[in-house]
Amino acid sequence: MQKSEFHKSAARNIRMVQDLFEGDATLKVRTLRAGENPGCTCALLFLDGLVNVTVLNDAVLQPLSKLPKVQPGRSMMDAVKESGLFISFYNEITTLDELKSEIMLGSTLLFVDGSDSCLAVDTKGWSARAISEPESERVLRGPREGFVETMMVNVSMIRRRLATTDLKFELQKLGRVTRTNLCICYIKGLVEPGVLRELKRRLGRVSYDSVVDSNYINELIRDNPRSPFRTINTTERPDVVAAKLLEGRIAVVVDGSPVVLTLPCLYSELMQSPDDYYLNYYYASFGRLMRMFSAFLCYSVPAIYLALITFHQELIPTPLLISIAKAREGVPLPSVLEALILLLAFDLLRETGVRTPASIGQALSIVGALVLGQSAVEARFVSAPMIIVVAISGVTSLIVPRISGALDLIKYPLLILSSLFGLYGYAAGFITVLAILYSMNSFGVPYMAYSSMLGVKYWQDIYLRAPWPKIKRRPFFSRNRDRYEKEVD
Amino acid sequence: MRRLHRGALLLALALLLPLLGGCLDSHEIETLAIVSGLAVDRGEEKTFRVTAELISSKNEQTSSLSVSAEGDTVYDCIRSLVSPAGKTLYLSHCKVGILSLDAAEEGLPSLVDWANRDTEGRLTMSLLLAEGRAADLFAEQPEAGTAVAFNIADSLNTGPSSVANLSIHNFIDLGVDVGKTPYAPVISLSEDGAPEVKKLSFLKENVPAGLLSGEELLYFSLLRRDGGRRTLTVKNDRGAYTVELKPERSDFQFSHEDGGLQFRFDYQLGAELVDISYPFDPHDEDAVARMEVEIECVVKNGLKALAARSQSEFQLDIAGLGSVIYRKEPAFFESVRERYSELYRNAAFSFDTRVTLRGTGVSGVTVFAGERGEAN
């Protein structure tokens, strides 16, 4: 049995904890006599703001103050455990590390004279955000729940959706300073053991001092850390996490972050939306194809347009060519500079819009539209066709939010290549991007799996969303691929 | 090692780009003078005078302006056009190339050869010959928002005669293919100043050698068996009527007996009555039969006349029958190639035409205001 690091004297334990939290005014200490046991002092220590005071008063203080006289020879701690606490859960701890962890999580520490162990009583009660629909993952139809910053609340939301004992939660702590709790969720029997092992191995190698958000873990353990394309997916929706767990993926819930990581991640996932599974499959398939096309338009339209107007004017229909030439007449900037300035301006406006208070957002959008759209064209600073091209690129990037960051990054080099080498440069850049994508992996799973597989059976949940009865198989990296218990005709 | 290999590949790709790409070919679109049409005339001081119609993008409405330059070759003229144009000429959207008949006598190849070799000019550019000065066609101010050359190109595509739209690419094929005779549509200005294509010129040894016009164009297309619809107006003692003829089946056979050539044409034509100036009852089988026989005679006589004219006046195998002979009996054609034109001049033509009246429009019976006329 591990030797306790605490003293049998409650007073000395109090001093020890106060030394530990020296300078921290939120540490509160409450000593009281253990009911009808005058020689015995109990000490309660907690961090103000993290505990539910009502629970502390009703479930701990009150019963402790009424503790009946303990018979001689009987341990006071045992008596307290049996009759002095009206609480559903407590943890008996013996080390300072456990003490620090428990008090930081909102537990109240209870020291009893005569015992060198400590009871960490579950009195968590900090203020938390209410469950609401995530802003970045709205759906037309489907659940409106979203994750919050409290890990156990998030875990409970996943648990409610998967009523199976095969659903496993493994807890872990990361960050030398923050000691952030995280939970690895998976369904035993569906998850590939190799992927799980790899995840645990990578988490074990993390020695970073702080983990404030799930993105810290994302960047510390992901494959291809320099690639703008994510190899670990994220979501704020519990229904999405449940669906991904059922596909044999692993979810990582991080305390303090409403964003849950799911892995392995495939490129084709980035085109999916939760709506796809709640709407009619025709509409869902159309929406998915639109998203794929929009992703292509986002990074291609500015580059191809620039290549056509500077190198390959013969490819443009004559009436359109004349119209573009007329629009560009008098514009002082070369086309490539014009495109770069407009793209940067659009990104600036978008960033500003994200961080602007709602009260002035409308005014800002009017300024942006008037300044960029109307005034710049009338002043012949930029040409109208270029504004249209940049607008198409900007709008289409918003249709695929999971990949918009990567698309926004790659369209600049493609634009530069097009301005230097025409369509040849664009093709070279596009092929380079494809080569990089096809060389990427996500925890051992090829990133572009399914995206290049020919055969209708591979497309049932990639380019299209087949009706549910037709989606009979899980992804290939799942341990058990059959969704049906027996074949359905 | 794998990273080195990938890096080496990327470096090789990056080095290939400037070598195989064309960053030197970059042009801002507004620095280009878009040429919509070229007109080649005989020069006053030099051999050729080329007039280019340029699209002007300075005004709200699209407009055009013409610039001219002279030179010893068409290429020379085009290079000289940069000065009056003030911008780099952009020829990829040039829709029509027009040579005056006068300039064509100097040598049609000058324009065709330039178009064939130049990387910008498209071989789909329509080739036309002009009666009078070709540059006069661009002198007329087009309606706002268009260019003369574009109007001409549109009319060639939508006009009634398919022989009117001949691209330089097809013209080159005509000149290169064995047994074919090159021709080019002839454009002229109508009385109200609008350009129109109603004639065809054949070329012999690269110079114009004869013109076809009017109904001869219909018979020419029948001889060529190009399958397009044509209109034919027939006049008789009762009045006149117009039919739209569509070859439903056409057959060409040749034979070479007794040292000569015999050509036999067999046509099955479908006719649709489009207008008639006298009463006609389509339900009257005799009247229909009479009309069909009448059309057959007219077509047959027209074909015979055109064949005779090609033998005596043009002395050219205008329908490219030699190419059919070459395709079917190459050895024979090669053996008579040197004297084929002589054989053609003395060849015997026979035509067999059958016309079936397929339709008479929405209203079957001719209607006259006030009273019904009597059907024939």
Side-chain angles (χ1 to χ4, degrees), chain A residues 247-468:
Chain A
E247 287 179 344
R249 289 185 168 87
I250 304 170
V252 178
V253 186
V254 179
D255 195 27
S257 174
V259 179
V260 170
L261 308 176
T262 60
L263 55 103
C265 172
L266 302 182
Y267 177 81
S268 52
E269 269 180 81
L270 306 180
M271 300 294 158
Q272 294 171 351
S273 163
D275 262 329
D276 293 347
Y277 302 96
Y278 303 132
L279 297 173
N280 177 276
Y281 53 88
Y282 290 118
Y283 188 76
S285 300
F286 177 72
R288 202 170 276 187
L289 290 171
M290 284 293 297
R291 267 175 250 125
M292 291 183 186
F293 185 57
S294 299
F296 173 75
L297 286 180
C298 175
Y299 58 78
S300 294
V301 166
I304 291 176
Y305 174 76
L306 196 68
L308 288 180
I309 66 169
T310 51
F311 284 88
H312 310 287
Q313 296 91 354
E314 66 273 11
L315 290 178
I316 305 175
T318 311
L320 181 60
L321 180 75
I322 295 169
S323 181
I324 294 171
K326 230 191 296 186
R328 282 241 0 130
E329 197 71 38
V331 173
L333 297 170
S335 304
V336 59
L337 271 183
E338 187 190 350
L340 282 171
I341 288 170
L342 281 173
L343 284 170
L344 284 169
F346 187 92
D347 286 336
L348 275 170
L349 275 175
R350 189 171 52 186
E351 280 297 307
T352 311
V354 167
R355 289 153 191 34
T356 302
S359 55
I360 60 170
Q362 192 174 8
L364 186 69
S365 65
I366 292 171
V367 167
L370 282 177
V371 169
L372 271 184
Q374 185 132 358
S375 306
V377 172
E378 284 184 0
R380 286 286 189 215
F381 191 68
V382 295
S383 62
M386 190 62 80
I387 287 192
I388 294 169
V389 162
V390 168
I392 290 172
S393 176
V395 166
T396 49
S397 78
L398 300 174
I399 296 175
V400 277
R402 294 181 201 275
I403 203 176
S404 65
L407 297 178
D408 285 339
L409 282 175
I410 67 171
K411 69 183 170 192
Y412 287 100
L414 284 177
L415 190 72
I416 303 287
L417 283 170
S418 289
S419 70
L420 292 173
F421 306 111
L423 283 178
Y424 184 77
Y426 167 76
F430 184 70
I431 289 168
T432 304
V433 170
L434 274 184
I436 291 170
L437 285 173
Y438 275 89
S439 70
M440 286 167 55
N441 288 315
S442 174
F443 288 84
V445 177
Y447 191 57
M448 295 296 279
Y450 290 118
S451 298
S452 58
M453 289 181 182
L454 298 176
V456 179
K457 63 178 180 177
Y458 299 116
W459 292 2
Q460 53 187 225
D461 199 16
I462 304 298
Y463 302 112
L464 308 170
R465 206 273 286 171
W468 280 113

Side-chain angles (χ1 to χ4, degrees), chain B residues 110-159:
Chain B
S110 186
L111 175 65
V112 175
D113 191 61
W114 162 79
N116 194 29
R117 293 179 193 278
D118 191 78
T119 53
E120 265 189 19
R122 300 192 198 201
L123 291 175
T124 53
M125 182 168 68
S126 294
L127 177 67
L128 296 160
L129 298 176
E131 286 186 314
R133 284 190 73 234
D136 290 344
L137 290 159
F138 294 154
E140 291 289 324
Q141 284 299 314
E143 58 191 49
T146 64
V148 173
F150 293 161
N151 289 345
I152 293 173
D154 289 341
S155 66
L156 292 177
N157 287 326
T158 57

